Amino acid sequence: MDKINVTRSSLPPYEEYCAEIRDMWDNRWLTNMGEKHRGFQAELAGYLDVDNIELLTNGHMALELTLQALKLSGEVITTPFTFASTTHALVRCGLEPVFCDVDPADFTMDASKIEPLITEKTSALLPVHVYGNICEVEAIQEIANKYNLKVIYDAAHTFGVKYKGRGIGNFGDASCFSFHATKVFHTIEGGAVAYKDAFLGRELARLRNFGLEGQEDAVEVGSNAKLDEFRAAMGLCNLRHIDEVIAKRRRVAERYRERLENIPGVQLGPIQPEVTPNFAYFPVVFDEGIFGAGRDKILSALENEDIHARKYFYPLTSELSCYQGRFNLDRTPLAKWISQRVITLPLYPDLPVEAADKICDIIVSCEK
Ligand SMILES: *Cc1c(COP(=O)(O)O)cnc(C)c1O
């Protein structure tokens, strides 16, 4: 069997992409919100089932510019069990991350632990829909309403996920999506913000283009975070195939679940009620004391067969070298426990089910 990585980017048929970009050789409109950008934006709003969405150059800038657009200050309550981007966005915007522990069953921020962290400096909540598992959106909104806080979701993992029949981008003030090449849906690099209030869309559109207003003046200290036409074209193509991509992921994820569920000491991600999932990741938490093998042993047994799973997320963002000494790591013991034991298994549309079987055979054999 060939080398298996944790993920493999999906691509549309080559000819389909070439046909999509053909007219750019005539019109020479390559970036700055052209026809592809507008077309992709409209299609995307339809697919994600949201009223308002703005496209950006990547998911990280979606987070940064949303934080800037909302003019937040002080402290933001967030989770350390995420990709570096979530925490970096806060710090780069001059905000202080305050880390809340996670719910060990679904790895998202534990809403019941938010209130004690709120101070007079708190301006917002930044939870993450980790691995495609959705946060407790209703409980989080109640807290936000009670204390007058903004809610920004890092929705990088939840492309296409629905809750109670509604697109996940409808919750909170804003939801930031990533269209990076490794995600369920991608534009090579890219991102978007689904948002509630019209003013936020206007702000984002300005901030992604240097804060320019009209031809001459910049009214805000903006950045450059535009999604170009080639990547919008990739988005249009990939969107035509997304349902098939998710269906193929489902096959692999369901095989993993069949093979690994009910093994003592092996915790899988949850099946959340009333959620339409996207099968973005397949995390498995190994409790060595019960299962008999720890994650390093399992990872190296897989490596021996040229199968590359990942410790994702490890370390916590609060433990990254760039933040050394800055945060109190004792406040999020459950996040730490999970990050020390979790592996995400290879999962992509073209992964053969036989490969998933082989991966499960190797894992089960580590037990002995
Ligand atoms: C991928 C990712 C991001 C960043 O998105 P980019 O498009 O790579 O900038 C942010 N948060 C999480 C949780 C991610 O997985």
Side-chain angles (χ1 to χ4, degrees):
M1 221 177 266
D2 292 340
K3 174 173 179 171
I4 296 174
N5 281 324
V6 72
T7 189
R8 186 166 184 266
S9 299
S10 38
L11 279 172
Y14 178 69
E15 292 73 22
E16 184 181 336
Y17 184 66
C18 291
E20 192 65 54
I21 61 175
R22 178 66 195 88
D23 46 1
M24 284 189 246
W25 267 257
D26 299 324
N27 66 30
R28 302 289 158 131
W29 193 300
L30 309 185
T31 186
N32 284 48
M33 289 67 77
E35 198 181 306
K36 301 295 172 192
H37 188 284
R38 290 193 298 275
F40 176 45
Q41 182 181 8
E43 294 283 324
L44 194 61
Y47 188 83
L48 294 177
D49 178 38
V50 294
D51 293 331
N52 305 309
I53 197 157
E54 286 298 334
L55 307 177
L56 294 155
T57 193
N58 57 48
H60 181 78
M61 288 309 289
L63 286 167
E64 276 198 20
L65 295 190
T66 301
L67 297 172
Q68 186 181 354
L70 289 169
K71 302 192 165 48
L72 301 177
S73 61
E75 300 172 356
V76 175
I77 298 172
T78 185
T79 168
F81 192 70
T82 182
F83 183 53
S85 171
T86 321
T87 304
H88 285 357
L90 290 168
V91 173
R92 288 172 59 86
C93 287
L95 296 160
E96 184 64 17
V98 173
F99 293 109
C100 180
D101 211 356
V102 301
D103 177 342
D106 64 18
F107 320 116
T108 68
M109 200 158 116
D110 186 342
S112 72
K113 295 188 175 155
I114 294 174
E115 280 197 76
L117 299 174
I118 295 173
T119 71
E120 67 282 1
K121 291 189 202 146
T122 309
S123 61
L125 309 175
L126 175 47
V128 182
H129 299 303
V130 187
Y131 303 129
N133 301 328
I134 68 158
C135 300
E136 298 168 80
V137 290
E138 284 136 355
I140 288 171
Q141 194 59 54
E142 252 177 57
I143 296 167
N145 293 347
K146 183 168 163 191
Y147 294 92
N148 194 25
L149 306 174
K150 298 289 183 197
V151 183
I152 304 107
Y153 285 106
D154 182 333
H157 293 182
T158 30
F159 187 88
V161 170
K162 291 193 170 172
Y163 177 52
K164 295 187 174 171
R166 296 174 68 205
I168 197 64
N170 290 295
F171 298 89
D173 294 279
S175 297
C176 301
F177 292 91
S178 164
F179 307 147
H180 183 257
T182 55
K183 304 279 153 89
V184 169
F185 169 84
H186 78 87
T187 59
I188 311 170
E189 295 265 6
V193 182
Y195 56 91
K196 197 162 66 188
D197 295 331
F199 94 91
L200 189 52
R202 288 194 299 275
E203 284 288 323
L204 288 168
R206 206 154 56 187
L207 289 172
R208 76 174 164 215
N209 193 23
F210 307 100
L212 293 174
E213 184 76 66
Q215 300 274 353
E216 286 158 2
D217 197 21
V219 295
E220 273 173 310
V221 186
S223 187
N224 180 3
K226 303 186 293 292
L227 186 77
D228 65 70
E229 293 289 283
F230 285 80
R231 292 189 285 147
M234 179 62 80
L236 281 166
C237 292
N238 278 339
L239 207 49
R240 293 183 197 120
H241 303 279
I242 186 66
D243 288 335
E244 189 194 340
V245 161
I246 292 175
K248 287 169 121 184
R249 287 175 164 275
R250 169 191 284 268
R251 256 179 349 130
V252 180
E254 286 182 346
R255 180 58 67 98
Y256 279 142
R257 187 172 290 279
E258 265 167 51
R259 292 284 317 269
L260 299 175
E261 70 187 347
N262 303 323
I263 300 179
V266 177
Q267 183 200 336
L268 310 183
I271 294 176
Q272 296 184 302
E274 302 188 89
V275 172
T276 311
N278 66 356
F279 307 97
Y281 298 87
F282 201 91
V284 186
V285 181
F286 292 97
D287 187 342
E288 184 171 359
I290 300 172
F291 179 62
R295 87 165 155 194
D296 288 340
K297 183 174 169 192
I298 293 156
L299 279 172
S300 62
L302 292 168
E303 298 268 337
N304 287 341
E305 301 286 332
D306 216 7
I307 297 166
H308 306 276
R310 274 193 59 192
K311 300 181 196 176
Y312 188 72
F313 298 103
Y314 172 83
L316 298 177
T317 61
S318 50
E319 299 171 326
L320 295 168
S321 302
C322 57
Y323 298 126
Q324 203 179 3
R326 179 161 174 170
F327 303 115
N328 178 354
L329 303 175
D330 299 335
R331 283 186 175 175
T332 56
L334 298 173
K336 185 168 178 113
W337 195 91
I338 291 159
S339 91
Q340 288 172 336
R341 288 164 182 81
V342 71
I343 294 177
T344 52
L345 298 181
L347 179 55
Y348 47 88
D350 296 327
L351 186 71
V353 169
E354 296 72 39
D357 276 328
K358 181 176 172 186
I359 289 165
C360 295
D361 290 341
I362 295 168
I363 290 171
V364 170
S365 75
C366 287
E367 190 182 359
K368 301 186 185 89

